[in-house]
Amino acid sequence: AEPKANPKPKVVILATGGTIAGAQPKPGDVGYKAGAYPVSALIKAVPGIDEIAQISGEQIASIGSQDMTDAVWVKLGRRVNEVLADPSVSGVVVTHGTDTMEETGFFLNLVTKSNKPVVLVGSMRPATAVSADGPMNLYNATAVAVDPNARGRGVLVVLNDVVHYARETTKTNTTSLDTFASPNRGPAGFVLFGKVRWFSKPTWRHTTESAFAGAIPDTLPRVDIIYAHANVGPEYVQASLAAGAKGLVLAGVGDGNGTQALIEALSAAAKKGVVVVRSSRTNSGAVARNVELDDDKLGFVAAQELNPQKARVLLQLALTKTKDCAAIQEMFEQY
Ligand SMILES: NC(=O)C[C@H](N)C(=O)O
């Protein structure tokens, strides 16, 4: 008899490393090395994953996500687009460390040219740990990737039985399994043993509606984050400009603020053509224009809800198109 075609939807897992692929030197060790196991080992550790989907895996990188680079983003973003252009593929799962997962997720949210699901997944305990959380997270992420209701929602993050929008979510705890939160609008849904329950859809531009979708440049401009604190001076700004930054993001105190010395240094940079975006180190809320500071006069862009690390991603992509502050402000209103 003819062998039966596998009727399960196809999911491609693109692996980048992280704690989900992490190994302890010996069981019980607190320390571990991220990105030690290949994607084949991650898939093998998930009983029943082949009941959800026909899985294939590819290794894009093997790094702790603290080492994420623009070059890996470009490679990953292009591969996501290639894989999703195949009509037989239902969705992509990206295994990734949690440290910079929100940044990679937001980058993919802006550059993916498909409405098919792209789901980032990681873990907080290494693969060798007692009660490792990676296998259940990968099982759930795969279930989300084949769910037709995941389409058109932009890039998603799955950990600890919760689905988040990459645009909204942020890592909030150093070690807890419940580290991801979406402080401004709440999660995208829940996922329990592969059963997904969805909440409202995002209202921001993403993926197929993004001006950055599908055309990923070879390199991205340098954008630095300047962290504000009591008594901070102009030195970080000066160092960034000397290093060649084309854009600066202020991780400001409160509503995107800083000492007079810092704001003056940023404004001077803005007047020289370096695009300056004000964001907040508080981790929730929005930084709107002209509230505590006169953005019109100082020459700044306001980040709205994007935290500093996500504002940096949007500014990098924005600078590939324009240096015009009004045009970039419009992007921060829409994405
Ligand atoms: N839980 C983790 O994945 C942390 C790790 N440092 C990483 O981001 O790769």
Side-chain angles (χ1 to χ4, degrees):
E2 288 282 303
K4 278 219 193 88
N6 186 337
K8 305 262 186 269
K10 271 194 196 166
V11 169
V12 178
I13 301 183
L14 301 179
T16 69
T19 297
I20 192 167
Q24 299 155 306
K26 49 182 189 345
D29 279 359
V30 175
Y32 67 93
K33 187 179 171 299
Y37 287 108
V39 62
S40 55
L42 304 192
I43 297 166
K44 240 182 157 167
V46 188
I49 196 169
D50 49 354
E51 301 288 317
I52 311 175
Q54 290 181 67
I55 305 281
S56 61
E58 282 176 37
Q59 202 75 40
I60 299 289
S62 297
I63 55 174
S65 76
Q66 61 274 14
D67 279 323
M68 188 49 64
T69 60
D70 292 357
V72 175
W73 279 350
V74 168
K75 180 179 177 191
L76 177 65
R78 287 177 175 173
R79 191 64 192 134
V80 165
N81 280 330
E82 278 166 13
V83 165
L84 292 180
D86 177 346
S88 76
V89 171
S90 292
V92 161
V93 169
V94 178
T95 61
H96 197 289
T98 53
D99 290 350
T100 60
M101 184 178 281
E102 65 200 81
E103 297 170 53
T104 302
F106 188 53
F107 176 76
L108 294 175
N109 199 49
L110 298 173
V111 302
T112 301
K113 197 184 173 158
S114 171
N115 68 358
K116 294 177 187 175
V118 176
V119 187
L120 277 80
V121 65
S123 77
M124 293 303 286
R125 294 182 183 145
T128 51
V130 175
S131 293
D133 51 329
M136 181 56 92
N137 288 346
L138 186 52
Y139 184 88
N140 281 336
T142 306
V144 170
V146 301
D147 186 336
N149 289 320
R151 289 186 174 218
R153 286 177 184 266
V155 174
L156 302 164
V157 166
V158 168
L159 253 92
N160 203 39
D161 300 346
V162 183
V163 189
H164 295 274
Y165 293 115
R167 181 194 188 266
E168 304 298 330
T169 201
T170 188
K171 188 175 184 180
T172 64
N173 186 287
T174 52
T175 54
S176 163
L177 271 54
D178 196 22
T179 186
F180 279 92
S182 295
N184 286 320
R185 68 139 28 225
F190 294 144
V191 50
L192 194 62
F193 301 110
K195 297 270 177 301
V196 198
R197 183 167 171 79
W198 291 104
F199 305 153
S200 61
K201 291 194 167 161
T203 47
W204 316 108
R205 280 174 76 174
H206 60 77
T207 57
T208 51
E209 273 159 33
S210 166
F212 310 104
I216 304 174
D218 292 336
T219 57
L220 296 167
R222 177 177 180 135
V223 173
D224 289 349
I225 297 176
I226 306 291
Y227 201 91
H229 51 79
N231 206 43
V232 65
E235 295 84 359
Y236 305 154
V237 174
Q238 291 160 353
S240 278
L241 297 181
K246 302 284 179 281
L248 295 174
V249 172
L250 170 64
V253 294
D255 195 2
N257 220 330
T259 57
Q260 260 187 46
L262 177 59
I263 298 301
E264 276 165 22
L266 288 167
S267 187
K271 280 167 189 160
K272 279 196 218 126
V274 173
V275 178
V276 177
V277 175
R278 288 194 305 114
S279 176
S280 172
R281 64 175 207 181
T282 61
N283 276 320
S284 64
V287 174
R289 290 188 71 80
N290 300 330
V291 181
E292 287 187 28
L293 291 172
D294 187 342
D295 293 297
D296 297 342
K297 209 172 96 200
L298 295 161
F300 297 155
V301 172
Q304 295 294 9
E305 298 89 2
L306 296 182
N307 67 21
Q309 55 272 33
K310 283 187 219 182
R312 176 178 170 274
V313 172
L314 179 53
L315 183 53
Q316 282 187 291
L317 286 168
L319 286 169
T320 65
K321 304 226 176 257
T322 180
K323 284 179 70 178
D324 180 70
C325 282
I328 293 178
Q329 183 65 62
E330 195 47 36
M331 293 176 189
F332 277 85
E333 306 297 329
Q334 295 182 4
Y335 293 96

